[in-house]
Amino acid sequence: MSKPIVAIVGRPNVGKSTLFNALAGEKISIVKDYPGVTRDRIYADVTWLNYQFTMIDTGGIEPESKDLMLKHMRAQAEIAIETADVILFITDVRQGVVDSDFKVADMLRKSGKPVILVVNKVDSFEKFMPDVYEFYNLGIGDPVPVSGASRLGMGDMLDEVAKHFPESATEEEEDERPRVAIVGKPNVGKSSIINRLVGEERVIVSDIAGTTRDAIDTAITWQDKEYVFIDTAGLRRKSKIKEELERYSIIRTVTAVERADVVIVVIDASEGVTEQDAKIAGIAHERGKGVIIAVNKWDAIEKNDKTIYEHTKRIREILSYMPYAEIVFISAKTGQRVNKIFDIMDVVIQNHALRVATGVLNEILMEAVAMQQPPSDKGKRLKLYYITQVAIKPPTFVIFVNDKQLMHYSYTRYIENKIREAFGFSGTSLKFIIRERKEKE
């Protein structure tokens, strides 16, 4: 089940980022140790009571003039309307209601998406309540007073947000078909790949209206198996929003990846793998999805017997944080190896949902510990008691140890490699949670 997406919209200086940071808490969604993964924080995972959602900040570009301002606000609103399940419209009690607030409110109201009107910078309810009432004039419901800086009113705001989340028993839940997202920089050939997959004679295509969003997903049946390609309509029609703004394409990517089981990251062979590719792949990695790297336009490359090897090596270097990703060299134009994507997808889908018996895991753990002694510090040695798999998509393991501080990243990586040696798990990341247990337990 994909997490709901909540988008933040609002003029510059209304305190969007303060609010974003207050909600994201210290759990910043951006991964520290991977080079090339985006640093400007656009999205974060938020947990509130028993709800989990992904929050997206649509803003960030600050136009100079009044006219540009409105254009920018409209673009933000469009993105929010297109991708979000719930929209947080942020205004500023100290600036009061301004003209562009009305215009954006109109757009949001017409969208039919749930909108929560948030009035920020209300550091004292007694003092500012009369000013808050002015925001009723926007005509999008009750204003929710908050202060991002002093974290007042956050709970009430999140309660409002959560009211609009789909009940967990939505139709998406029962849909067992694997969901696939095709992502990548503009012009790497994402839509040609879709059209090529759709265009195969043996493929049956049907459009499904999106359950929670207006995206049109495409069901593709290949050799009696059905796959759902996410919002391929969005790929086929050039988005209304200009793709130049990198931030916007990243937001679309986050939304697509969030809903997918398997992500196909498309790279342009003639350009080779770039920093931007690393950012996009990083989103899929961080979200624990199955990953396939499709190197497109392979027909356009001068080749000798080392070309594939050199390209693979370069991809592995730049995407060093995801050595498990499957790589396939294709040409959407000629159709070369495009069908192979289905075979690789099947493997990745299987691995992404693979469960390993606890007994077998513990045998591997004991053997690994015997082969390479766990690290020690100031005379205290790490002990690993037990491992068990607690989830799939991605496969997630809990390891019980005597002291969390001693369990270095590198030793976790070593255990991961041992598990991969035994079960492959190609195409999917693995997640490890380290828990402490006292000796006596």
Side-chain angles (χ1 to χ4, degrees), residues 235-290:
L235 291 174
R236 284 192 220 149
R237 58 159 203 270
K238 269 288 164 248
S239 157
K240 294 190 294 285
I241 299 147
K242 290 282 183 287
E243 286 279 24
E244 299 111 32
L245 293 170
E246 188 180 310
R247 180 179 202 98
Y248 292 167
S249 39
I250 292 261
I251 285 178
R252 296 196 66 144
T253 304
V254 173
T255 315
V257 166
E258 194 59 75
R259 298 177 59 217
D261 301 309
V262 176
V263 177
I264 299 174
V265 180
V266 185
I267 289 175
D268 183 333
S270 49
E271 278 183 43
V273 60
T274 65
E275 186 85 351
Q276 175 76 344
D277 296 321
K279 279 188 183 183
I280 290 169
I283 294 169
H285 168 74
E286 213 176 283
R287 290 270 176 286
K289 303 298 180 176

Side-chain angles (χ1 to χ4, degrees), residues 2 12-13 52 80 99 123 129 153 159 164 166-167 188 199 218 239 247-248 295 310 327 329 334 395 403 439-440:
S2 59
N13 309 324
Q52 285 184 325
D99 188 39
D123 299 324
M129 266 340 256
D159 285 342
H164 298 287
E167 292 298 309
V188 289
T218 305
S239 157
R247 180 179 202 98
Y248 292 167
V295 184
E310 283 158 5
I327 301 177
F329 295 88
T334 66
D403 185 348
E439 301 271 346
K440 292 189 262 317

Side-chain angles (χ1 to χ4, degrees), residues 13 34 54 81 84 100 105 200 207 209 243 251 276 341 376 385 390 424 434:
N13 309 324
Y34 306 127
T54 297
I81 289 165
S100 55
E200 290 292 332
D207 281 345
E243 286 279 24
I251 285 178
Q276 175 76 344
I341 289 181
S376 61
Y385 298 124
V390 291
I434 310 301

Side-chain angles (χ1 to χ4, degrees), residues 303-318:
K303 289 186 262 311
N304 59 32
D305 53 353
K306 296 199 178 55
T307 319
I308 279 208
Y309 166 76
E310 283 158 5
H311 271 260
T312 304
K313 184 165 172 270
R314 178 99 182 104
I315 290 168
R316 291 290 182 218
E317 276 165 15
I318 291 201

Side-chain angles (χ1 to χ4, degrees), residues 377-394:
D377 186 34
K378 298 193 184 69
K380 187 172 187 189
R381 186 168 292 286
L382 171 69
K383 285 186 183 153
L384 289 80
Y385 298 124
Y386 187 74
I387 181 171
T388 180
Q389 185 175 349
V390 291
I392 56 170
K393 296 187 178 184

